[in-house]
Amino acid sequence: MAAERSLWDIKLAHRPKSFWYPYQTLQNVGVLERLLAGPGLDLLQLCRGPHGKIADIGAADGDLAFFLEKMGLSVHLIDNERTNFNRFEGARILQEALHSTVRIRTVDLDSQFTLSGEKYDAIFLLGLLYHLKNPFFVLEKLSRMARYCFLSTRVARQTADGLPLSKYPVAYLLGPGECNNDSTNFWIFSEEALKRLIDRTGWSILAYTAIGDTQHSTPADPNHDERVFCVLQSNAVTELCASPNPVPVGERIGRTTIRWNTANASPGKVYVSVNGQEESLFASGCQGTATANWIQAGASYEFRLYDSDRTRLLDKISVTTAVE
């Protein structure tokens, strides 16, 4: 909230309120943090990984991108300049005012786009999915580029005249002025359709919640608006991570959950080395989670993900401890 007020001070010093994207994008951070608390995940920790950068896609004025940069992250701000609310002028004003190094990129996601082989630790895709002509292509493409995706989109449980949608994997195609009089609104999914789309484009759901009218939501009525927020993990990229890390320990032994994914149908093997000693088998499988409930203060741990023959190291992570 403080960051949002600060950004608005800067915005209004440069342009009138009508110039700027009107919705409060930073409110999404609180929703995501509450969502992640359930499975014991940390938003910033998921954003920090081997690639050293994240992407905010469909970023409007870039409020979230600049906020995450303030949190110590390297951020790419990605949107289509032609359809952006103020054609990126707002993002560029904020970039200069904040002396920001956020990279601003214009990409038409409705094209067969490429991002020059970029790899991200996480992407934010908030309030964008129903603006895409081909959401299947976009989600599948991004699943090969990022470990995690923070996604939000509008869903509907029934049509405007009350026909049920919830149990069917369907999408409603909006008319050009039907929803907020915005011709860039295209697809409103049922929950079942959204979950199937996520699965078929190479993602797994780590956390999921719905807000708004969760009983009688419709595709276009602003009084019956329902939004789904979910945290996704890619099944198309190799991953090995620990949460929490550092592991809080006091007088007792600490614990952390190791999550791995080989990104293919071949099983992998997770080994652990304690204090640089000989490694021992910890877990195995194509993907999964396992708890290490024996983390001791002052010790160092390195978890390593190998292929099934233990001939190729796929990923590794160091786990440290922190005093409570």
Side-chain angles (χ1 to χ4, degrees):
M1 292 174 65
E4 192 165 65
R5 288 194 296 269
S6 177
L7 284 172
W8 270 111
D9 287 342
I10 297 171
K11 290 177 180 182
L12 297 178
H14 288 82
R15 294 289 191 278
K17 188 173 183 179
S18 60
F19 167 85
W20 299 97
Y21 183 72
Y23 301 106
Q24 297 175 305
T25 56
L26 287 186
Q27 288 188 354
N28 293 321
V29 175
V31 178
L32 290 173
E33 286 195 319
R34 291 191 295 273
L35 174 60
L36 287 165
L41 299 172
D42 180 84
L43 189 150
L44 289 178
Q45 187 172 316
L46 293 183
C47 291
R48 295 188 174 107
H51 303 302
K53 59 181 178 292
I54 63 171
D56 180 16
I57 302 179
D61 294 332
D63 294 26
L64 180 62
F66 296 119
F67 173 75
L68 292 171
E69 182 187 40
K70 190 177 180 181
M71 297 297 103
L73 299 170
S74 176
V75 187
H76 287 185
L77 188 162
I78 299 171
D79 206 341
N80 185 357
E81 184 169 356
R82 183 177 60 83
T83 58
N84 180 268
F85 189 78
N86 47 44
R87 297 181 180 269
F88 267 160
E89 186 178 351
R92 294 191 174 104
I93 288 171
L94 289 176
Q95 182 187 45
E96 182 176 355
L98 294 167
H99 307 289
S100 168
T101 59
V102 163
R103 182 180 177 187
I104 298 176
R105 304 183 64 176
T106 181
V107 176
D108 181 5
L109 295 177
D110 286 328
S111 68
Q112 300 293 302
F113 70 94
T114 62
L115 281 169
S116 306
E118 292 282 10
K119 297 291 184 181
Y120 297 101
D121 297 306
I123 56 175
F124 288 80
L125 203 69
L126 302 177
L128 180 66
L129 198 66
Y130 59 95
H131 291 284
L132 300 174
K133 294 178 180 178
N134 192 348
F136 194 109
F137 173 81
V138 173
L139 282 178
E140 187 175 48
K141 186 87 170 178
L142 294 177
S143 73
R144 303 189 184 107
M145 300 169 56
R147 290 189 169 203
Y148 300 103
C149 176
F150 301 95
L151 182 147
S152 73
T153 192
R154 184 168 180 168
V155 297
R157 296 180 185 267
Q158 61 185 41
T159 62
D161 56 357
L163 294 176
L165 297 173
S166 293
K167 65 180 181 179
Y168 304 108
V170 297
Y172 180 94
L173 178 59
L174 293 161
E178 188 174 4
C179 184
N180 295 333
N181 198 32
D182 185 347
S183 63
T184 70
N185 291 331
F186 292 102
W187 299 105
I188 304 296
F189 292 97
S190 69
E191 276 197 295
E192 186 63 29
L194 178 62
K195 291 176 180 178
R196 185 172 292 188
L197 176 68
I198 289 167
D199 177 69
R200 294 205 60 189
T201 53
W203 299 93
S204 295
I205 297 174
L206 296 180
Y208 184 100
T209 193
I211 63 174
D213 185 350
T214 59
Q215 298 297 320
H216 306 290
S217 55
T218 62
D221 190 337
N223 296 316
H224 296 285
D225 187 318
E226 179 180 1
R227 304 285 165 140
V228 160
F229 285 77
C230 48
V231 181
L232 310 179
Q233 176 187 346
S234 173
N235 297 321
V237 296
T238 302
E239 181 200 37
L240 180 67
C241 66
S243 180
N245 186 23
V247 180
V249 294
E251 296 179 356
R252 297 176 296 176
I253 292 175
R255 58 189 294 163
T256 189
T257 298
I258 303 298
R259 185 168 54 253
W260 74 95
N261 180 15
T262 63
N264 55 48
S266 300
K269 293 182 178 179
V270 181
Y271 281 78
V272 61
S273 171
V274 183
N275 294 328
Q277 301 299 311
E278 183 177 351
E279 60 187 16
S280 59
L281 182 64
F282 173 72
S284 62
C286 300
Q287 60 180 315
T289 60
T291 300
N293 56 5
W294 29 255
I295 305 297
Q296 295 182 332
S300 62
Y301 302 85
E302 186 170 87
F303 291 84
R304 302 163 187 157
L305 175 62
Y306 292 93
D307 61 7
S308 57
D309 299 326
R310 201 183 169 191
T311 57
R312 185 163 61 97
L313 180 65
L314 303 178
D315 203 354
K316 64 181 180 179
I317 185 171
S318 295
V319 172
T320 58
T321 59
V323 178
E324 289 182 319

